[in-house]
């Protein structure tokens, strides 16, 4: 009967179908393109195998009318078009017997999303209304055949709205949020097909990367204990002390740390508690004294609500990464002042780094490291010449020689003392570079991954800065605490061979045998390999800008 009902609907639109069948593909693509011209998403190419799910197929005229009527966003529009084309226009939410169990599966998925993440923006009110009407009248669709297409396209549109929200994040161009890592358009078809096929475990088809998945799991856990955290936090936030004596640790702090999985015992035990506090401090970027000092206390006094916000902000950033991580890559997390090496898609080791100070913020972007330069010259950027070197030269003509620099006009080295530096105010018509040697700001090695920001990783003679907890000191490039270790890993040289090159004074370019991906990222909350929540301060105040996009006005 249901199949007959659909055939009846098809007959009503047969004449218009003849024309639209040939034009709808063009019309839909045209409407998608003209409504929203967003170029910051790049389509991933994935394999897709069409399957015969049902004999019921969609009337293309209804398809086009729906898309035009509801002014569907371009990203959603293209996803819907692609989904039905790959299904050979088969219905997704209806079978010959009526509305399928897939609708219930999707409704349950949305309910779980709302419960776990506290996001109620995805609404399935129409579906609820339809089920209510079916409960009262099982022949509802027979009496109202136009509702079949309304429900079909409503559910498909709702699914892609949900998928974009849950897995891709906000539509805003990430470059407006200082994020220059290209976003790739995610493929949700496998997830939708698994729902339509009534797969019991469709979570394995979710287009999310491991970083996002770990942070989402932590968010779900913290939301489950939110009332207890809030109650304990009310007690903790009233405490006023800088360093607590051993016998005065409030029970509220112990219970709070236990809830956060930062402490495993019921009562205070001096050596063990000190070790756990040290771990907590490490997880939150605090010097590991093992004592409940004022900085540690102020971190404990951050409200659970603000912790959840920070997690959600960083989950948004993690949505912007690809679903799968590369097999081998380097990740620099700016707020953590750390570089991480991943091989075989697993964490291997890390080192301290120095990043750009706030006024010279390190850019967030991705590149491919191609080569190293040992004993490099440092070609000083015009901005540093203008703001730092030129004022020094006007006071001290020996500044160039004293800092092992040289001035060039083309390829000719000039005598810097013969130049009247006082006549230059902004632009200097010379190249100034620092020669290889112990004073060179790039140290003994620089690691090059071509980019538009002129940023690279490099050694530094200022080793003492790595003892600082907060290491935002550079002009934007990333300084490495252990450059030789990274070079040895990338080149697969033995130590003696590498040190021979390292200790020479001659500039030498070495091509990497295998280029490696580099991600310069900005995460102020993440889950480490041991399952611990880590948080850091918002060094460049990027969180504030993203918070406004997600939550509205920042208080």
């Amino acid at each position: 009967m249901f199949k007959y009902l659909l055939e009846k609907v098809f007959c009503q639109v047969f004449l218009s179908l003849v024309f639209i069948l040939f034009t709808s593909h063009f019309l839909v693509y045209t409407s998608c393109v003209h409504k929203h011209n967003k170029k910051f998403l790049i389509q991933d190419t994935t394999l897709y195998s069409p399957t015969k799910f049902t004999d019921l197929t969609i009337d293309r005229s209804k398809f086009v009318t729906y898309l035009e009527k509801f002014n569907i966003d371009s990203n959603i529009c293209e996803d819907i078009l692609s989904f039905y084309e790959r299904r050979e226009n088969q219905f997704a939410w209806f079978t010959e017997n009526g509305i399928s169990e897939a609708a219930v599966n999707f409704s349950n998925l949305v309910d779980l999303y709302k419960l776990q993440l506290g996001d109620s923006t995805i609404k399935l009110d129409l579906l609820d209304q339809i089920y209510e009407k079916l409960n009262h009248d099982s022949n509802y669709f027979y009496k109202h055949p136009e509702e079949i297409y309304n429900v079909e396209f409503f559910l498909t549109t709702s699914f892609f709205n949900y998928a974009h929200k849950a897995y891709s994040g906000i539509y805003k161009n990430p470059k407006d949020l200082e994020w220059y890592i290209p976003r790739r358009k995610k493929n949700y078809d496998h997830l939708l097909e698994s729902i339509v096929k009534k797969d019991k475990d469709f979570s394995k088809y979710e287009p999310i990367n491991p970083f996002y998945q770990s942070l989402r799991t932590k968010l779900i856990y913290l939301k489950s204990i939110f009332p207890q955290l809030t109650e304990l936090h009310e007690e903790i936030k009233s405490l006023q002390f800088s360093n607590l004596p051993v016998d005065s640790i409030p029970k509220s702090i112990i219970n709070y740390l236990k809830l956060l999985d930062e402490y495993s015992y019921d009562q205070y035990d001096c050596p063990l508690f000190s070790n756990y506090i040290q771990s907590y401090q490490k997880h939150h970027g605090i010097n590991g004294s093992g004592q409940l000092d004022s900085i540690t206390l102020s971190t404990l006094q951050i409200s659970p609500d603000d912790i959840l916000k920070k997690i959600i902000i960083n989950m948004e950033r993690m949505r912007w990464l690809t679903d799968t991580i590369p097999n081998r890559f380097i990740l620099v997390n700016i707020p953590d002042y750390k570089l991480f090496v991943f091989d075989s898609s697993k964490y291997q080791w890390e080192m301290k780094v120095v990043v750009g100070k706030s006024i010279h913020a390190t850019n967030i972007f991705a590149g491919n490291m191609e080569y190293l330069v040992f004993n490099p010259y440092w070609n000083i950027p015009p901005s540093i010449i203008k703001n730092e070197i030129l004022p020094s030269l006007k006071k001290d003509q020996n500044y160039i020689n004293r800092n092992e620099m040289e001035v060039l006009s083309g390829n000719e080295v000039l005598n810097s003392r013969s130049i009247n530096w006082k006549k230059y105010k902004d632009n200097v018509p010379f190249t100034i570079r620092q020669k290889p040697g112990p004073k060179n700001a790039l140290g003994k090695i620089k690691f090059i991954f071509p980019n538009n920001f002129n940023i690279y990783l490099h050694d530094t003679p200022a080793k003492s800065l790595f003892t600082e907890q907060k290491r935002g000191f550079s002009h934007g490039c990333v300084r490495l605490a252990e450059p030789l270790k990274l070079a040895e890993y990338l080149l697969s040289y033995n130590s003696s061979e590498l040190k021979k090159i390292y200790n020479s004074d001659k500039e030498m370019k070495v091509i990497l045998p295998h280029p490696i991906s580099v991600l310069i990222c900005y995460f102020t909350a993440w889950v480490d390999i041991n399952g611990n929540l880590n948080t850091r301060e918002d060094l460049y105040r990027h969180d504030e800008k993203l918070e406004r996009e997600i939550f509205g006005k920042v208080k």
Side-chain angles (χ1 to χ4, degrees), residues 21 52 63 126 132 225 303 314 319 331 351 355 423 431 458 466-467 482 539 542:
L21 190 60
K52 188 74 171 177
F63 186 94
L126 177 61
E132 187 175 339
I225 59 169
S303 74
N314 284 275
R319 287 183 179 103
L331 186 149
M351 74 168 73
V355 299
K423 74 177 184 179
T431 299
H458 65 86
F466 294 108
T467 62
E482 303 172 84
L539 175 63
H542 290 337

Side-chain angles (χ1 to χ4, degrees), residues 360-372:
H360 300 297
T362 300
N363 296 93
I364 303 163
F365 69 102
N368 285 309
M369 188 180 293
E370 298 176 354
Y371 63 93
L372 279 58

Side-chain angles (χ1 to χ4, degrees), residues 411-471:
N411 294 321
E412 182 185 357
V413 178
L414 305 177
N415 182 350
S416 65
R417 295 178 62 86
S418 66
I419 300 170
N420 181 11
W421 296 104
K422 292 183 179 180
K423 74 177 184 179
Y424 299 109
K425 293 182 179 180
D426 294 320
N427 298 321
V428 173
F430 309 111
T431 299
I432 300 179
R433 66 181 186 182
Q434 192 171 35
K435 294 180 280 187
K439 292 185 178 182
N440 189 288
L442 305 185
K444 298 287 287 183
I445 319 175
K446 66 177 179 179
F447 302 77
I448 303 299
F449 44 107
N451 59 82
N452 295 329
F453 307 105
N454 196 28
I455 285 178
Y456 40 85
L457 314 181
H458 65 86
D459 185 15
T460 175
K463 304 293 186 184
S464 62
L465 294 179
F466 294 108
T467 62
E468 299 290 332
Q469 190 68 26
K470 299 176 182 179
R471 296 185 292 277

Side-chain angles (χ1 to χ4, degrees), residues 13 16-17 20-21 24 58-66:
V13 295
S16 61
L17 176 60
I20 294 176
L21 190 60
S24 61
I58 290 170
D59 178 352
R60 298 283 293 191
S61 67
K62 297 279 188 179
F63 186 94
V64 174
T65 302
Y66 182 91

Side-chain angles (χ1 to χ4, degrees), residues 308-535:
L308 295 189
K309 268 189 177 180
K310 185 180 277 281
I311 290 173
I312 290 168
I313 287 167
N314 284 275
M315 283 173 63
E316 177 65 32
R317 290 193 181 104
M318 290 175 183
R319 287 183 179 103
W320 302 345
L321 297 174
T322 55
D323 308 345
T324 55
I325 61 174
N327 180 57
R328 182 170 171 263
F329 68 102
I330 293 167
L331 186 149
V332 174
N333 187 16
I334 296 168
D336 191 28
Y337 311 104
K338 290 278 185 67
L339 175 148
F340 302 86
V341 172
F342 290 79
D343 208 329
S344 301
S345 299
K346 293 180 180 179
Y347 164 86
Q348 300 297 320
W349 49 272
E350 64 191 67
M351 74 168 73
K352 294 179 178 180
V353 301
V354 168
V355 299
K357 59 187 77 172
S358 294
I359 197 172
H360 300 297
T362 300
N363 296 93
I364 303 163
F365 69 102
N368 285 309
M369 188 180 293
E370 298 176 354
Y371 63 93
L372 279 58
V373 178
F374 288 89
N375 305 300
Y377 282 91
W378 178 36
N379 292 307
I380 302 171
S383 60
I384 297 179
I385 293 175
K386 173 186 172 182
N387 297 320
E388 298 178 29
I389 293 180
L390 187 57
S392 298
L393 276 168
K394 290 178 180 180
K395 297 175 184 177
D396 177 12
Q397 278 201 323
N398 199 40
Y399 179 87
I400 292 290
N401 294 334
R402 189 158 41 80
N403 287 280
E404 298 293 328
M405 297 177 180
E406 56 187 16
V407 180
L408 291 89
S409 178
N411 294 321
E412 182 185 357
V413 178
L414 305 177
N415 182 350
S416 65
R417 295 178 62 86
S418 66
I419 300 170
N420 181 11
W421 296 104
K422 292 183 179 180
K423 74 177 184 179
Y424 299 109
K425 293 182 179 180
D426 294 320
N427 298 321
V428 173
F430 309 111
T431 299
I432 300 179
R433 66 181 186 182
Q434 192 171 35
K435 294 180 280 187
K439 292 185 178 182
N440 189 288
L442 305 185
K444 298 287 287 183
I445 319 175
K446 66 177 179 179
F447 302 77
I448 303 299
F449 44 107
N451 59 82
N452 295 329
F453 307 105
N454 196 28
I455 285 178
Y456 40 85
L457 314 181
H458 65 86
D459 185 15
T460 175
K463 304 293 186 184
S464 62
L465 294 179
F466 294 108
T467 62
E468 299 290 332
Q469 190 68 26
K470 299 176 182 179
R471 296 185 292 277
F473 299 111
S474 81
H475 286 86
C477 286
V478 179
R479 305 176 191 173
L480 306 179
E482 303 172 84
L484 203 57
K485 181 177 181 179
L486 182 59
E488 188 172 345
Y489 165 76
L490 294 171
L491 295 173
S492 300
Y493 284 7
N494 61 52
S495 297
S496 59
E497 187 178 11
L498 191 60
K499 284 180 180 177
K500 184 178 179 181
I501 301 172
Y502 185 83
N503 292 327
S504 73
D505 293 325
K506 184 179 179 182
E507 186 178 50
M508 180 184 299
K509 177 179 177 179
V510 180
I511 305 295
L512 294 184
H514 305 288
I516 186 169
S517 297
V518 179
L519 296 174
I520 311 291
C521 294
Y522 193 94
F523 298 124
T524 56
W526 71 94
V527 174
D528 63 28
I529 58 171
N530 298 313
N532 300 304
L533 175 66
N534 285 247
T535 65

